[in-house]
Amino acid sequence: MKKKVGIDDLAVYIPKLYLDAEELAKARGIDPGKITKGLGIEKMSIPDAHEDAATMAAMAALQLMKKNNLNPKDIDFIHVATETGPDAAKPISCYVQGMLEQVYGERCLDHIGAPETKFACVGATYALIDRLAYIASGWNKRKYAIVIATDIAKYDLYSSGESTQGAAAVALLLKENPRLLAYEPEFTGFGTVDDRDFYRPIERTTAVVDGQYSIGCYLRNMRIATDMYKNNLIKFNIIKSDQENLSDKLDLISFHSPFPKMVQYAFASFLIHDWRRFPRWDNILSKIGPEPPRKGLTNVEFYVSKDYKRFRSRFSKIEEFRDEYNAKVANSLIALKLIGNSYTASVWLCMASHFGNGRDNLDDKRLGVCSYGSGSSAIACSFIIQPEYKEVIKKIELMRNLSRRKRISMEVYEDLHEGRFKTDESVISPKKEFALDYIGKEDKNVGYRYYKYIE
Ligand code: CAA
């Protein structure tokens, strides 16, 4: 019999510092409205001097283990996805193992598998599918697998990407018969195109991005992935014919959110593609005018063309769109507006934000996940929210933790960004926390990172 596998719980780690978006705008001579309203970002999480993607991952994992009273011997895999790992050879997963053993005891996790997956912001979704498939196959030797998404989104100072930075880690607990979300493996769709929208050459700490082009790649790939997802629903008779609506089968959606406005672009593109075959479409066109020709739908140029952007923008203002957006997407962005981008973690933060801000009964609802990674690949998949979910989400303290952060000045932000602070010069000294202790300088350990749990 087919096993039910999925996400049993999740834990989020957000750095304790943030930069106010209005302050950044003023310092860069930009109208603050462009960042707060145009992009939808109010605050950006900034890691302290003792933090990196590895400490954030370990913090999320530690929180997940503590809140679920996990015994290390019950963990089969710790699988990390990141695009901002500090080492080109050693995976963060192994650093995380070492850090957790400082708390739980030496060699208590030496039995685990510990790979790292990289595919820009979609990496954690690939890692999750791998681990769930492994559990579903029965190959796992222990009950739990942990997948961690961890990233620091960082662009050059004064670049247009600077207003879309941020940082976070999310740890997902996976098992058979999960309490939170059961995965629907048969429907998953992919959309992959070898492209150059965003990348980070090995010698750089900041990403290189072609901003508007990257938006087009996101929309193009998402259309390919959601088409495949829909075809799979048709194949399994969940949608009765090609004429039925996909959006009606999804109760909530969590999109990759490099900035909240991007999710609005993505959801509008998704609905335009989904609704245009249905009777309601004529009524919509009567309100917003004719749709531009759909020739070139597989090209980025189509999605970044002025005509399509204008049409999408008009569509985003009508009541039918606003109602659907408010019901299925808006709650996922409440936390994201206060965090900024966090690459691999972002789509899972949107999921946590849904749970942290929704009031309706979500039992048995279908939650769609639309994940995108530059380079480029999109995954569209779904989960069914489980009856025990209410107990689980009570302990996701995302919004409370966001309200406890410390605001930093532009000066401190720039010093942290440029690595001018030593690891022991943190803005907030680490307490009950993993910290980067020092970086090796001898011949045998040059560049090696030493981490420590600070009581
Ligand atoms: N008040 C209100 N709104 C304003 C405004 C003002 N004063 N000034 C501009 N705006 C609006 C614009 O009208 C626009 O909104 P609409 O699209 O709805 O019209 C919005 O603000 C953004 O303006 P621009 O498109 O002109 O912004 P930009 O080109 O300067 O920069 C960006 C935006 C391209 C996203 C840039 O920040 C960037 O390069 N970011 C990094 C790349 C990125 O995030 N890409 C996303 C897709 S790739 C991906 O998802 C992977 C990943 O994580 C990186």
Side-chain angles (χ1 to χ4, degrees), residues 217-260:
C217 291
Y218 182 133
L219 299 177
R220 173 199 59 198
N221 290 37
M222 200 58 80
R223 204 266 308 150
I224 300 170
T226 48
D227 269 357
M228 192 200 280
Y229 176 81
K230 179 175 178 180
N231 285 337
N232 291 335
L233 288 182
I234 293 170
K235 217 186 284 172
F236 283 87
N237 226 10
I238 306 290
I239 290 182
K240 300 283 180 278
S241 81
D242 191 33
Q243 295 308 307
E244 265 196 324
N245 221 320
L246 172 57
S247 58
D248 289 346
K249 301 291 169 194
L250 297 167
D251 300 295
L252 296 177
I253 311 183
S254 169
F255 281 92
H256 167 56
S257 171
F259 51 96

mmCIF file of all heavy atoms in Angstrom, residues 217-260:
data_model
loop_
_atom_site.group_PDB
_atom_site.id
_atom_site.type_symbol
_atom_site.label_atom_id
_atom_site.label_comp_id
_atom_site.label_asym_id
_atom_site.label_seq_id
_atom_site.Cartn_x
_atom_site.Cartn_y
_atom_site.Cartn_z
ATOM 1 N N CYS A 217 12.035 34.969 -16.236
ATOM 2 C CA CYS A 217 12.393 33.542 -16.127
ATOM 3 C C CYS A 217 11.505 32.850 -15.097
ATOM 4 O O CYS A 217 11.037 31.720 -15.305
ATOM 5 C CB CYS A 217 13.864 33.382 -15.721
ATOM 6 S SG CYS A 217 15.012 33.890 -16.994
ATOM 7 N N TYR A 218 11.306 33.520 -13.952
ATOM 8 C CA TYR A 218 10.435 32.974 -12.900
ATOM 9 C C TYR A 218 9.062 32.657 -13.495
ATOM 10 O O TYR A 218 8.524 31.544 -13.336
ATOM 11 C CB TYR A 218 10.342 34.018 -11.778
ATOM 12 C CG TYR A 218 9.529 33.682 -10.549
ATOM 13 C CD1 TYR A 218 10.034 33.901 -9.265
ATOM 14 C CD2 TYR A 218 8.230 33.193 -10.646
ATOM 15 C CE1 TYR A 218 9.289 33.634 -8.121
ATOM 16 C CE2 TYR A 218 7.467 32.925 -9.509
ATOM 17 C CZ TYR A 218 8.001 33.157 -8.255
ATOM 18 O OH TYR A 218 7.256 32.896 -7.129
ATOM 19 N N LEU A 219 8.476 33.638 -14.219
ATOM 20 C CA LEU A 219 7.110 33.461 -14.733
ATOM 21 C C LEU A 219 7.051 32.383 -15.820
ATOM 22 O O LEU A 219 6.122 31.577 -15.852
ATOM 23 C CB LEU A 219 6.570 34.795 -15.263
ATOM 24 C CG LEU A 219 6.489 35.910 -14.213
ATOM 25 C CD1 LEU A 219 6.016 37.207 -14.842
ATOM 26 C CD2 LEU A 219 5.573 35.512 -13.051
ATOM 27 N N ARG A 220 8.061 32.376 -16.686
ATOM 28 C CA ARG A 220 8.088 31.369 -17.758
ATOM 29 C C ARG A 220 8.158 29.949 -17.172
ATOM 30 O O ARG A 220 7.357 29.081 -17.514
ATOM 31 C CB ARG A 220 9.309 31.610 -18.665
ATOM 32 C CG ARG A 220 9.521 30.519 -19.717
ATOM 33 C CD ARG A 220 10.950 30.533 -20.254
ATOM 34 N NE ARG A 220 11.929 30.342 -19.190
ATOM 35 C CZ ARG A 220 13.230 30.640 -19.300
ATOM 36 N NH1 ARG A 220 13.691 31.140 -20.428
ATOM 37 N NH2 ARG A 220 14.056 30.438 -18.288
ATOM 38 N N ASN A 221 9.115 29.755 -16.245
ATOM 39 C CA ASN A 221 9.290 28.401 -15.704
ATOM 40 C C ASN A 221 8.083 27.966 -14.882
ATOM 41 O O ASN A 221 7.694 26.795 -14.892
ATOM 42 C CB ASN A 221 10.547 28.334 -14.827
ATOM 43 C CG ASN A 221 11.811 28.434 -15.644
ATOM 44 O OD1 ASN A 221 11.850 29.160 -16.615
ATOM 45 N ND2 ASN A 221 12.832 27.709 -15.261
ATOM 46 N N MET A 222 7.496 28.924 -14.165
ATOM 47 C CA MET A 222 6.344 28.569 -13.334
ATOM 48 C C MET A 222 5.172 28.136 -14.198
ATOM 49 O O MET A 222 4.418 27.239 -13.846
ATOM 50 C CB MET A 222 5.956 29.779 -12.456
ATOM 51 C CG MET A 222 5.131 29.407 -11.256
ATOM 52 S SD MET A 222 5.954 28.213 -10.193
ATOM 53 C CE MET A 222 7.056 29.257 -9.282
ATOM 54 N N ARG A 223 5.046 28.772 -15.374
ATOM 55 C CA ARG A 223 3.963 28.374 -16.279
ATOM 56 C C ARG A 223 4.193 26.938 -16.763
ATOM 57 O O ARG A 223 3.272 26.123 -16.794
ATOM 58 C CB ARG A 223 3.914 29.355 -17.468
ATOM 59 C CG ARG A 223 2.583 29.451 -18.145
ATOM 60 C CD ARG A 223 2.451 28.516 -19.349
ATOM 61 N NE ARG A 223 3.542 28.667 -20.286
ATOM 62 C CZ ARG A 223 3.991 27.679 -21.049
ATOM 63 N NH1 ARG A 223 3.453 26.492 -21.010
ATOM 64 N NH2 ARG A 223 5.024 27.877 -21.860
ATOM 65 N N ILE A 224 5.438 26.588 -17.058
ATOM 66 C CA ILE A 224 5.734 25.223 -17.531
ATOM 67 C C ILE A 224 5.417 24.218 -16.412
ATOM 68 O O ILE A 224 4.771 23.191 -16.625
ATOM 69 C CB ILE A 224 7.216 25.095 -17.972
ATOM 70 C CG1 ILE A 224 7.530 26.077 -19.111
ATOM 71 C CG2 ILE A 224 7.538 23.668 -18.402
ATOM 72 C CD1 ILE A 224 9.015 26.197 -19.466
ATOM 73 N N ALA A 225 5.864 24.544 -15.190
ATOM 74 C CA ALA A 225 5.674 23.604 -14.060
ATOM 75 C C ALA A 225 4.197 23.456 -13.694
ATOM 76 O O ALA A 225 3.717 22.340 -13.434
ATOM 77 C CB ALA A 225 6.478 24.077 -12.850
ATOM 78 N N THR A 226 3.450 24.579 -13.689
ATOM 79 C CA THR A 226 2.033 24.474 -13.289
ATOM 80 C C THR A 226 1.204 23.789 -14.386
ATOM 81 O O THR A 226 0.228 23.115 -14.093
ATOM 82 C CB THR A 226 1.423 25.849 -12.928
ATOM 83 O OG1 THR A 226 1.738 26.789 -13.946
ATOM 84 C CG2 THR A 226 1.938 26.363 -11.601
ATOM 85 N N ASP A 227 1.626 23.943 -15.655
ATOM 86 C CA ASP A 227 0.947 23.183 -16.727
ATOM 87 C C ASP A 227 1.128 21.683 -16.501
ATOM 88 O O ASP A 227 0.190 20.897 -16.646
ATOM 89 C CB ASP A 227 1.531 23.549 -18.104
ATOM 90 C CG ASP A 227 0.785 24.709 -18.748
ATOM 91 O OD1 ASP A 227 -0.216 25.182 -18.159
ATOM 92 O OD2 ASP A 227 1.204 25.153 -19.843
ATOM 93 N N MET A 228 2.351 21.300 -16.136
ATOM 94 C CA MET A 228 2.598 19.866 -15.906
ATOM 95 C C MET A 228 1.809 19.384 -14.678
ATOM 96 O O MET A 228 1.224 18.298 -14.682
ATOM 97 C CB MET A 228 4.092 19.589 -15.706
ATOM 98 C CG MET A 228 4.401 18.098 -15.758
ATOM 99 S SD MET A 228 5.959 17.625 -15.007
ATOM 100 C CE MET A 228 7.106 18.035 -16.265
ATOM 101 N N TYR A 229 1.789 20.244 -13.652
ATOM 102 C CA TYR A 229 1.034 19.901 -12.437
ATOM 103 C C TYR A 229 -0.450 19.686 -12.797
ATOM 104 O O TYR A 229 -1.069 18.704 -12.402
ATOM 105 C CB TYR A 229 1.201 21.019 -11.405
ATOM 106 C CG TYR A 229 0.386 20.841 -10.144
ATOM 107 C CD1 TYR A 229 0.833 19.997 -9.126
ATOM 108 C CD2 TYR A 229 -0.828 21.493 -9.985
ATOM 109 C CE1 TYR A 229 0.071 19.830 -7.979
ATOM 110 C CE2 TYR A 229 -1.587 21.325 -8.840
ATOM 111 C CZ TYR A 229 -1.132 20.500 -7.837
ATOM 112 O OH TYR A 229 -1.887 20.317 -6.709
ATOM 113 N N LYS A 230 -0.980 20.597 -13.604
ATOM 114 C CA LYS A 230 -2.393 20.480 -13.988
ATOM 115 C C LYS A 230 -2.629 19.204 -14.811
ATOM 116 O O LYS A 230 -3.597 18.473 -14.572
ATOM 117 C CB LYS A 230 -2.828 21.715 -14.798
ATOM 118 C CG LYS A 230 -4.286 21.613 -15.220
ATOM 119 C CD LYS A 230 -4.822 22.841 -15.908
ATOM 120 C CE LYS A 230 -6.280 22.571 -16.312
ATOM 121 N NZ LYS A 230 -6.914 23.676 -16.989
ATOM 122 N N ASN A 231 -1.732 18.931 -15.760
ATOM 123 C CA ASN A 231 -1.896 17.712 -16.566
ATOM 124 C C ASN A 231 -1.900 16.465 -15.694
ATOM 125 O O ASN A 231 -2.627 15.508 -15.965
ATOM 126 C CB ASN A 231 -0.781 17.609 -17.609
ATOM 127 C CG ASN A 231 -1.030 18.578 -18.751
ATOM 128 O OD1 ASN A 231 -2.174 18.986 -18.970
ATOM 129 N ND2 ASN A 231 0.018 18.984 -19.449
ATOM 130 N N ASN A 232 -1.092 16.501 -14.625
ATOM 131 C CA ASN A 232 -1.069 15.344 -13.725
ATOM 132 C C ASN A 232 -2.385 15.228 -12.954
ATOM 133 O O ASN A 232 -2.873 14.129 -12.713
ATOM 134 C CB ASN A 232 0.125 15.431 -12.774
ATOM 135 C CG ASN A 232 1.434 15.241 -13.519
ATOM 136 O OD1 ASN A 232 1.453 14.605 -14.580
ATOM 137 N ND2 ASN A 232 2.522 15.795 -13.011
ATOM 138 N N LEU A 233 -2.954 16.365 -12.584
ATOM 139 C CA LEU A 233 -4.267 16.318 -11.903
ATOM 140 C C LEU A 233 -5.329 15.755 -12.851
ATOM 141 O O LEU A 233 -6.225 15.017 -12.428
ATOM 142 C CB LEU A 233 -4.700 17.708 -11.435
ATOM 143 C CG LEU A 233 -3.963 18.334 -10.251
ATOM 144 C CD1 LEU A 233 -4.563 19.685 -9.903
ATOM 145 C CD2 LEU A 233 -3.986 17.462 -9.012
ATOM 146 N N ILE A 234 -5.198 16.109 -14.132
ATOM 147 C CA ILE A 234 -6.165 15.574 -15.119
ATOM 148 C C ILE A 234 -5.979 14.053 -15.238
ATOM 149 O O ILE A 234 -6.931 13.289 -15.209
ATOM 150 C CB ILE A 234 -5.987 16.269 -16.494
ATOM 151 C CG1 ILE A 234 -6.385 17.745 -16.381
ATOM 152 C CG2 ILE A 234 -6.797 15.576 -17.578
ATOM 153 C CD1 ILE A 234 -6.045 18.601 -17.595
ATOM 154 N N LYS A 235 -4.693 13.654 -15.307
ATOM 155 C CA LYS A 235 -4.377 12.227 -15.446
ATOM 156 C C LYS A 235 -4.983 11.414 -14.296
ATOM 157 O O LYS A 235 -5.462 10.313 -14.469
ATOM 158 C CB LYS A 235 -2.847 12.069 -15.459
ATOM 159 C CG LYS A 235 -2.355 10.998 -16.387
ATOM 160 C CD LYS A 235 -0.858 10.787 -16.263
ATOM 161 C CE LYS A 235 -0.028 11.866 -16.927
ATOM 162 N NZ LYS A 235 1.397 11.739 -16.644
ATOM 163 N N PHE A 236 -4.941 11.998 -13.107
ATOM 164 C CA PHE A 236 -5.463 11.277 -11.931
ATOM 165 C C PHE A 236 -6.928 11.627 -11.642
ATOM 166 O O PHE A 236 -7.426 11.386 -10.551
ATOM 167 C CB PHE A 236 -4.588 11.556 -10.712
ATOM 168 C CG PHE A 236 -3.301 10.782 -10.744
ATOM 169 C CD1 PHE A 236 -2.186 11.289 -11.397
ATOM 170 C CD2 PHE A 236 -3.211 9.528 -10.167
ATOM 171 C CE1 PHE A 236 -1.001 10.573 -11.443
ATOM 172 C CE2 PHE A 236 -2.026 8.794 -10.206
ATOM 173 C CZ PHE A 236 -0.911 9.323 -10.864
ATOM 174 N N ASN A 237 -7.562 12.278 -12.615
ATOM 175 C CA ASN A 237 -9.000 12.534 -12.521
ATOM 176 C C ASN A 237 -9.421 13.486 -11.401
ATOM 177 O O ASN A 237 -10.574 13.473 -10.973
ATOM 178 C CB ASN A 237 -9.740 11.188 -12.358
ATOM 179 C CG ASN A 237 -10.916 11.132 -13.290
ATOM 180 O OD1 ASN A 237 -11.054 11.987 -14.167
ATOM 181 N ND2 ASN A 237 -11.794 10.165 -13.076
ATOM 182 N N ILE A 238 -8.475 14.276 -10.899
ATOM 183 C CA ILE A 238 -8.822 15.273 -9.872
ATOM 184 C C ILE A 238 -9.469 16.460 -10.583
ATOM 185 O O ILE A 238 -10.417 17.062 -10.098
ATOM 186 C CB ILE A 238 -7.568 15.761 -9.109
ATOM 187 C CG1 ILE A 238 -6.793 14.588 -8.550
ATOM 188 C CG2 ILE A 238 -7.929 16.790 -8.033
ATOM 189 C CD1 ILE A 238 -7.441 13.855 -7.419
ATOM 190 N N ILE A 239 -8.917 16.782 -11.746
ATOM 191 C CA ILE A 239 -9.578 17.740 -12.638
ATOM 192 C C ILE A 239 -10.190 16.900 -13.750
ATOM 193 O O ILE A 239 -9.511 16.080 -14.359
ATOM 194 C CB ILE A 239 -8.557 18.757 -13.209
ATOM 195 C CG1 ILE A 239 -8.090 19.706 -12.095
ATOM 196 C CG2 ILE A 239 -9.182 19.565 -14.344
ATOM 197 C CD1 ILE A 239 -7.122 20.776 -12.550
ATOM 198 N N LYS A 240 -11.466 17.125 -14.002
ATOM 199 C CA LYS A 240 -12.189 16.202 -14.891
ATOM 200 C C LYS A 240 -11.862 16.396 -16.375
ATOM 201 O O LYS A 240 -11.944 15.467 -17.156
ATOM 202 C CB LYS A 240 -13.697 16.341 -14.680
ATOM 203 C CG LYS A 240 -14.128 16.034 -13.253
ATOM 204 C CD LYS A 240 -14.145 14.522 -12.974
ATOM 205 C CE LYS A 240 -14.569 14.232 -11.546
ATOM 206 N NZ LYS A 240 -13.488 14.364 -10.554
ATOM 207 N N SER A 241 -11.492 17.620 -16.770
ATOM 208 C CA SER A 241 -11.137 17.819 -18.172
ATOM 209 C C SER A 241 -10.230 19.033 -18.275
ATOM 210 O O SER A 241 -10.067 19.789 -17.315
ATOM 211 C CB SER A 241 -12.384 18.070 -19.011
ATOM 212 O OG SER A 241 -12.764 19.426 -18.867
ATOM 213 N N ASP A 242 -9.667 19.213 -19.463
ATOM 214 C CA ASP A 242 -8.790 20.342 -19.693
ATOM 215 C C ASP A 242 -9.545 21.664 -19.500
ATOM 216 O O ASP A 242 -8.949 22.719 -19.307
ATOM 217 C CB ASP A 242 -8.243 20.232 -21.125
ATOM 218 C CG ASP A 242 -7.129 21.219 -21.351
ATOM 219 O OD1 ASP A 242 -6.391 21.486 -20.385
ATOM 220 O OD2 ASP A 242 -7.026 21.755 -22.462
ATOM 221 N N GLN A 243 -10.871 21.587 -19.548
ATOM 222 C CA GLN A 243 -11.682 22.806 -19.431
ATOM 223 C C GLN A 243 -11.897 23.217 -17.974
ATOM 224 O O GLN A 243 -12.406 24.294 -17.711
ATOM 225 C CB GLN A 243 -13.048 22.596 -20.111
ATOM 226 C CG GLN A 243 -12.947 22.379 -21.616
ATOM 227 C CD GLN A 243 -12.130 23.469 -22.297
ATOM 228 O OE1 GLN A 243 -12.390 24.642 -22.140
ATOM 229 N NE2 GLN A 243 -11.098 23.067 -23.032
ATOM 230 N N GLU A 244 -11.513 22.356 -17.035
ATOM 231 C CA GLU A 244 -11.732 22.724 -15.616
ATOM 232 C C GLU A 244 -10.590 23.592 -15.107
ATOM 233 O O GLU A 244 -9.458 23.516 -15.584
ATOM 234 C CB GLU A 244 -11.864 21.462 -14.764
ATOM 235 C CG GLU A 244 -13.310 21.074 -14.572
ATOM 236 C CD GLU A 244 -13.472 20.090 -13.426
ATOM 237 O OE1 GLU A 244 -12.578 19.232 -13.241
ATOM 238 O OE2 GLU A 244 -14.468 20.179 -12.717
ATOM 239 N N ASN A 245 -10.929 24.350 -14.082
ATOM 240 C CA ASN A 245 -10.023 25.323 -13.516
ATOM 241 C C ASN A 245 -9.025 24.717 -12.527
ATOM 242 O O ASN A 245 -9.448 23.993 -11.625
ATOM 243 C CB ASN A 245 -10.946 26.255 -12.735
ATOM 244 C CG ASN A 245 -10.545 27.652 -12.892
ATOM 245 O OD1 ASN A 245 -9.361 27.908 -12.893
ATOM 246 N ND2 ASN A 245 -11.495 28.526 -13.019
ATOM 247 N N LEU A 246 -7.734 25.058 -12.653
ATOM 248 C CA LEU A 246 -6.759 24.548 -11.683
ATOM 249 C C LEU A 246 -6.852 25.318 -10.363
ATOM 250 O O LEU A 246 -6.775 24.735 -9.275
ATOM 251 C CB LEU A 246 -5.341 24.663 -12.262
ATOM 252 C CG LEU A 246 -4.173 24.345 -11.327
ATOM 253 C CD1 LEU A 246 -4.293 22.937 -10.758
ATOM 254 C CD2 LEU A 246 -2.839 24.488 -12.053
ATOM 255 N N SER A 247 -7.053 26.628 -10.441
ATOM 256 C CA SER A 247 -7.039 27.432 -9.202
ATOM 257 C C SER A 247 -8.138 26.997 -8.224
ATOM 258 O O SER A 247 -7.962 27.111 -7.014
ATOM 259 C CB SER A 247 -7.171 28.920 -9.529
ATOM 260 O OG SER A 247 -8.351 29.162 -10.234
ATOM 261 N N ASP A 248 -9.250 26.458 -8.757
ATOM 262 C CA ASP A 248 -10.326 26.004 -7.857
ATOM 263 C C ASP A 248 -9.921 24.776 -7.039
ATOM 264 O O ASP A 248 -10.579 24.448 -6.058
ATOM 265 C CB ASP A 248 -11.596 25.689 -8.656
ATOM 266 C CG ASP A 248 -12.248 26.958 -9.191
ATOM 267 O OD1 ASP A 248 -11.880 28.054 -8.717
ATOM 268 O OD2 ASP A 248 -13.108 26.854 -10.093
ATOM 269 N N LYS A 249 -8.875 24.087 -7.471
ATOM 270 C CA LYS A 249 -8.427 22.879 -6.738
ATOM 271 C C LYS A 249 -7.408 23.219 -5.660
ATOM 272 O O LYS A 249 -6.970 22.349 -4.908
ATOM 273 C CB LYS A 249 -7.789 21.871 -7.708
ATOM 274 C CG LYS A 249 -8.713 21.418 -8.807
ATOM 275 C CD LYS A 249 -9.827 20.547 -8.264
ATOM 276 C CE LYS A 249 -10.902 20.310 -9.320
ATOM 277 N NZ LYS A 249 -12.129 19.766 -8.755
ATOM 278 N N LEU A 250 -6.970 24.480 -5.612
ATOM 279 C CA LEU A 250 -5.940 24.875 -4.627
ATOM 280 C C LEU A 250 -6.565 25.828 -3.609
ATOM 281 O O LEU A 250 -7.143 26.851 -3.985
ATOM 282 C CB LEU A 250 -4.777 25.562 -5.342
ATOM 283 C CG LEU A 250 -4.018 24.694 -6.347
ATOM 284 C CD1 LEU A 250 -3.108 25.535 -7.232
ATOM 285 C CD2 LEU A 250 -3.209 23.619 -5.633
ATOM 286 N N ASP A 251 -6.467 25.484 -2.326
ATOM 287 C CA ASP A 251 -7.081 26.320 -1.290
ATOM 288 C C ASP A 251 -6.138 27.424 -0.815
ATOM 289 O O ASP A 251 -6.570 28.523 -0.488
ATOM 290 C CB ASP A 251 -7.495 25.447 -0.105
ATOM 291 C CG ASP A 251 -8.497 24.395 -0.546
ATOM 292 O OD1 ASP A 251 -9.606 24.775 -0.946
ATOM 293 O OD2 ASP A 251 -8.161 23.188 -0.522
ATOM 294 N N LEU A 252 -4.850 27.093 -0.734
ATOM 295 C CA LEU A 252 -3.817 28.068 -0.343
ATOM 296 C C LEU A 252 -2.624 27.830 -1.253
ATOM 297 O O LEU A 252 -2.400 26.697 -1.688
ATOM 298 C CB LEU A 252 -3.349 27.834 1.099
ATOM 299 C CG LEU A 252 -4.335 28.017 2.244
ATOM 300 C CD1 LEU A 252 -3.641 27.643 3.554
ATOM 301 C CD2 LEU A 252 -4.837 29.445 2.316
ATOM 302 N N ILE A 253 -1.854 28.885 -1.495
ATOM 303 C CA ILE A 253 -0.624 28.680 -2.284
ATOM 304 C C ILE A 253 0.533 29.414 -1.614
ATOM 305 O O ILE A 253 0.381 30.526 -1.106
ATOM 306 C CB ILE A 253 -0.754 29.185 -3.739
ATOM 307 C CG1 ILE A 253 -2.042 28.662 -4.382
ATOM 308 C CG2 ILE A 253 0.458 28.742 -4.560
ATOM 309 C CD1 ILE A 253 -2.224 29.038 -5.849
ATOM 310 N N SER A 254 1.660 28.744 -1.608
ATOM 311 C CA SER A 254 2.893 29.346 -1.107
ATOM 312 C C SER A 254 3.856 29.452 -2.290
ATOM 313 O O SER A 254 4.231 28.444 -2.884
ATOM 314 C CB SER A 254 3.435 28.415 -0.021
ATOM 315 O OG SER A 254 4.720 28.760 0.334
ATOM 316 N N PHE A 255 4.208 30.692 -2.667
ATOM 317 C CA PHE A 255 5.117 30.928 -3.789
ATOM 318 C C PHE A 255 6.515 31.274 -3.271
ATOM 319 O O PHE A 255 6.639 31.873 -2.191
ATOM 320 C CB PHE A 255 4.662 32.145 -4.605
ATOM 321 C CG PHE A 255 3.525 31.884 -5.549
ATOM 322 C CD1 PHE A 255 2.217 32.083 -5.150
ATOM 323 C CD2 PHE A 255 3.772 31.458 -6.846
ATOM 324 C CE1 PHE A 255 1.159 31.862 -6.036
ATOM 325 C CE2 PHE A 255 2.726 31.238 -7.739
ATOM 326 C CZ PHE A 255 1.417 31.441 -7.331
ATOM 327 N N HIS A 256 7.525 31.013 -4.070
ATOM 328 C CA HIS A 256 8.848 31.584 -3.768
ATOM 329 C C HIS A 256 8.702 33.104 -3.810
ATOM 330 O O HIS A 256 8.163 33.650 -4.779
ATOM 331 C CB HIS A 256 9.891 31.122 -4.793
ATOM 332 C CG HIS A 256 11.162 31.924 -4.706
ATOM 333 N ND1 HIS A 256 11.873 32.042 -3.531
ATOM 334 C CD2 HIS A 256 11.826 32.678 -5.624
ATOM 335 C CE1 HIS A 256 12.918 32.826 -3.732
ATOM 336 N NE2 HIS A 256 12.912 33.226 -4.994
ATOM 337 N N SER A 257 9.187 33.786 -2.749
ATOM 338 C CA SER A 257 8.988 35.231 -2.670
ATOM 339 C C SER A 257 10.317 35.986 -2.539
ATOM 340 O O SER A 257 10.757 36.268 -1.430
ATOM 341 C CB SER A 257 8.083 35.553 -1.473
ATOM 342 O OG SER A 257 8.048 36.935 -1.276
ATOM 343 N N PRO A 258 10.954 36.352 -3.663
ATOM 344 C CA PRO A 258 12.160 37.188 -3.568
ATOM 345 C C PRO A 258 11.804 38.578 -3.049
ATOM 346 O O PRO A 258 12.612 39.244 -2.427
ATOM 347 C CB PRO A 258 12.671 37.247 -5.007
ATOM 348 C CG PRO A 258 11.501 36.896 -5.866
ATOM 349 C CD PRO A 258 10.613 36.014 -5.046
ATOM 350 N N PHE A 259 10.569 39.001 -3.337
ATOM 351 C CA PHE A 259 9.968 40.219 -2.764
ATOM 352 C C PHE A 259 8.462 40.028 -2.967
ATOM 353 O O PHE A 259 8.033 39.419 -3.961
ATOM 354 C CB PHE A 259 10.484 41.511 -3.437
ATOM 355 C CG PHE A 259 10.412 41.500 -4.933
ATOM 356 C CD1 PHE A 259 9.340 42.071 -5.598
ATOM 357 C CD2 PHE A 259 11.401 40.888 -5.694
ATOM 358 C CE1 PHE A 259 9.249 42.054 -6.979
ATOM 359 C CE2 PHE A 259 11.316 40.859 -7.088
ATOM 360 C CZ PHE A 259 10.244 41.438 -7.729
ATOM 361 N N PRO A 260 7.633 40.497 -2.028
ATOM 362 C CA PRO A 260 6.213 40.150 -2.091
ATOM 363 C C PRO A 260 5.518 40.510 -3.407
ATOM 364 O O PRO A 260 4.651 39.776 -3.877
ATOM 365 C CB PRO A 260 5.616 40.907 -0.904
ATOM 366 C CG PRO A 260 6.744 40.901 0.085
ATOM 367 C CD PRO A 260 7.981 41.117 -0.736
#
